[in-house]
Amino acid sequence: MDIANCLALIERLCGREFPREHGRTDVGTGGPGYLIAALRTSGDFHEDDGTERETVEAQYEADRDALGERLAERWGPADVFGLAGVLLRSAEGEEAAEPWGTLAAHVPDLHLWRAESGRWVALGVSRWDGEPPFQLLAVVTETDPP
């Protein structure tokens, strides 16, 4: 993972306009009030006995933490925001604002900062219920966490 490139992408997202409609963007997905960029995506593990999957998961978490250290130099320590409650409330029929509702389906927790612009910046590791691939995600949104 190239931390400098990831930081540059996050910086661009912080100053970028949000899409008017939900859908794909040049770096991932977005919609009114948010952008989600895949900073890194793993392969699949169909032929794996489970050991490679564990190694890759640990590496993605280490990459998130290393990138988070750099963001903490800029915005202070991250708040770790668990999304299990959002997922539970969604399962009970409560609709969560985007991007939180979608993220709750596959990202257990986010490391979260408030940038000088007032936007929220988050890093998380997408796990899609144990299915490949893993993704290291950067999220920029103006929508407050639920």
Side-chain angles (χ1 to χ4, degrees):
M1 177 183 77
D2 185 334
I3 288 180
N5 284 340
C6 291
L7 289 171
L9 177 57
I10 292 168
E11 191 66 35
R12 284 195 313 273
L13 293 176
C14 285
R16 192 168 170 176
E17 299 239 353
F18 296 118
R20 293 177 197 241
E21 302 289 329
H22 298 283
R24 301 278 317 148
T25 70
D26 59 325
V27 294
T29 59
Y34 74 94
L35 291 160
I36 301 172
L39 302 175
R40 187 170 181 214
T41 301
S42 74
D44 64 42
F45 305 100
H46 296 296
E47 304 297 322
D48 181 40
D49 64 0
T51 54
E52 183 181 357
R53 184 189 179 330
E54 290 175 9
T55 301
V56 170
E57 181 175 19
Q59 183 60 55
Y60 274 60
E61 289 173 353
D63 289 347
R64 177 204 57 211
D65 293 347
L67 187 54
E69 287 176 15
R70 298 291 296 277
L71 294 177
E73 292 171 6
R74 187 176 299 174
W75 298 315
D79 290 320
V80 177
F81 181 70
L83 293 169
V86 176
L87 182 60
L88 180 61
R89 290 190 306 272
S90 293
E92 294 172 348
E94 184 179 324
E95 210 169 305
E98 291 302 338
W100 311 111
T102 298
L103 290 168
H106 59 97
V107 179
D109 57 62
L110 293 166
H111 294 211
L112 187 64
W113 295 265
R114 188 72 176 236
E116 297 91 8
S117 65
R119 291 180 172 188
W120 293 98
V121 177
L123 296 175
V125 178
S126 173
R127 293 185 174 87
W128 285 108
D129 199 26
E131 295 296 320
F134 287 105
Q135 287 187 306
L136 176 58
L137 300 177
V139 180
V140 175
T141 182
E142 62 186 11
T143 306
D144 290 338

